[in-house]
Amino acid sequence: MVATFRIGLKNVLGSNWTRTHHRWPGRAVMLGREMNGPDGMLASVYFLVEVNRRAERRSLAEILPGWDVARSPHGCNDVYSDPTVHRLVDWTEVALGTRTRQQRYVTIARYEHLASGVEWTGATTHLSSSVHTTPEKAAESRAVQGRRLAELGAEHGIDILTGDINNTVVREDTPRGILEAAGYTDWRVATEVENVGYDTHRPIGEPPRQGGKHLDAIYLGPRASALEGRVQITEPDSSDHLGLACTVAIRAD
């Protein structure tokens, strides 16, 4: 059996990080269109980062009514799933370690895909940036976090690993290099990705950049494959990160 469905990844950008003219109410309307509009991500599972305000959670409850939520108590990494497509079996949040005072976490959720009966596991995370620290310490933290993610991937059988990993380079000491060495495949290698040349991050209000720099990632475990993907550019000012959408297929054990 094979479970085939669509996932979305989005760094929502907590409203406490935005300027007055980028306040949440206006961006929430954009996020709703980005998710549910005719050209939206239209996923059955959304892996989210920086959901760190009550206002954002209230809006998401309106955008995705009745959906199950694996709600991160510490790391602000939530997973929303359509209960008509997936049954949320269980979930957990795990600390990843750090070289600074700011701890980072991953939310891991296990599901049953109802149409196929295939059980699968997804995860979302937000790795260290150089905000409030030095680039060197941030890089050291990401190395620690990348190694822990690889361990957790094996421990929990993570099929889909997503997040804002604050890393674009593949090296043995970077999250991308560590995950690839652990057997995970970058979605951009696994399938043709529409709009792949767009940077996934830029300041709100500036034109989308086309340098192909992806701080955000979707990684596929050994059971998973990608059928098609897209960098979502329909609502660029909903956040400082563009969304990622991907149709995946996960084989039964």
Side-chain angles (χ1 to χ4, degrees):
M1 297 295 290
V2 178
T4 302
F5 54 94
R6 193 162 180 79
I7 67 169
L9 166 64
K10 180 69 175 181
N11 182 323
V12 173
L13 180 63
S15 55
N16 54 320
W17 291 101
T18 59
R19 292 177 289 181
T20 301
H21 54 286
H22 297 148
R23 296 174 68 180
W24 175 248
R27 293 194 293 112
V29 175
M30 298 179 197
L31 181 62
R33 291 195 298 260
E34 186 175 16
M35 288 180 163
N36 295 331
D39 297 319
M41 289 190 277
L42 300 174
S44 62
V45 178
Y46 285 103
F47 297 97
L48 304 180
V49 173
E50 284 202 55
V51 187
N52 56 4
R53 285 296 181 95
R54 291 179 182 176
E56 293 155 11
R57 296 189 179 104
R58 286 195 297 267
S59 296
L60 285 163
E62 295 173 358
I63 294 168
L64 305 171
W67 284 38
D68 292 328
V69 186
R71 176 158 292 143
S72 161
H74 303 293
C76 305
N77 309 307
D78 292 352
V79 188
Y80 283 68
S81 57
D82 183 346
T84 68
V85 181
H86 308 274
R87 181 175 68 90
L88 178 59
V89 177
D90 61 26
W91 68 275
T92 188
E93 181 182 62
V94 181
L96 294 177
T98 183
R99 288 291 183 266
T100 71
R101 290 182 297 175
Q102 187 176 25
Q103 182 61 272
R104 296 288 176 157
Y105 299 84
V106 60
T107 300
I108 303 169
R110 186 160 61 93
Y111 295 96
E112 178 191 9
H113 181 250
L114 298 178
S116 65
V118 172
E119 289 198 358
W120 65 279
T121 302
T124 185
T125 189
H126 187 188
L127 302 190
S128 290
S129 74
S130 56
V131 176
H132 303 312
T133 187
T134 65
E136 293 76 17
K137 287 184 178 179
E140 291 174 7
S141 292
R142 286 192 295 272
V144 169
Q145 293 153 11
R147 288 190 288 270
R148 184 64 177 131
L149 282 175
E151 294 171 352
L152 291 168
E155 180 182 338
H156 291 267
I158 296 173
D159 299 295
I160 307 292
L161 179 57
T162 72
D164 176 356
I165 62 172
N166 278 307
N167 167 220
T168 62
V169 179
V170 177
R171 273 199 331 257
E172 65 179 11
D173 62 341
T174 67
R176 288 191 178 278
I178 293 165
L179 291 173
E180 291 186 13
Y184 282 91
T185 301
D186 188 322
W187 71 314
R188 296 172 296 176
V189 174
T191 191
E192 183 175 348
V193 176
E194 183 181 350
N195 302 322
V196 71
Y198 282 86
D199 295 4
T200 62
H201 170 264
R202 95 280 181 260
I204 297 177
E206 292 188 4
R209 301 169 179 172
Q210 296 196 50
K213 295 181 179 179
H214 285 209
L215 293 180
D216 304 288
I218 297 174
Y219 275 97
L220 309 168
R223 295 199 306 156
S225 57
L227 306 182
E228 56 83 29
R230 180 172 74 240
V231 177
Q232 189 73 28
I233 61 173
T234 53
E235 297 290 339
D237 290 333
S238 69
S239 167
D240 64 341
H241 285 252
L242 300 175
L244 310 183
C246 185
T247 301
V248 300
I250 301 178
R251 301 182 303 275
D253 291 324

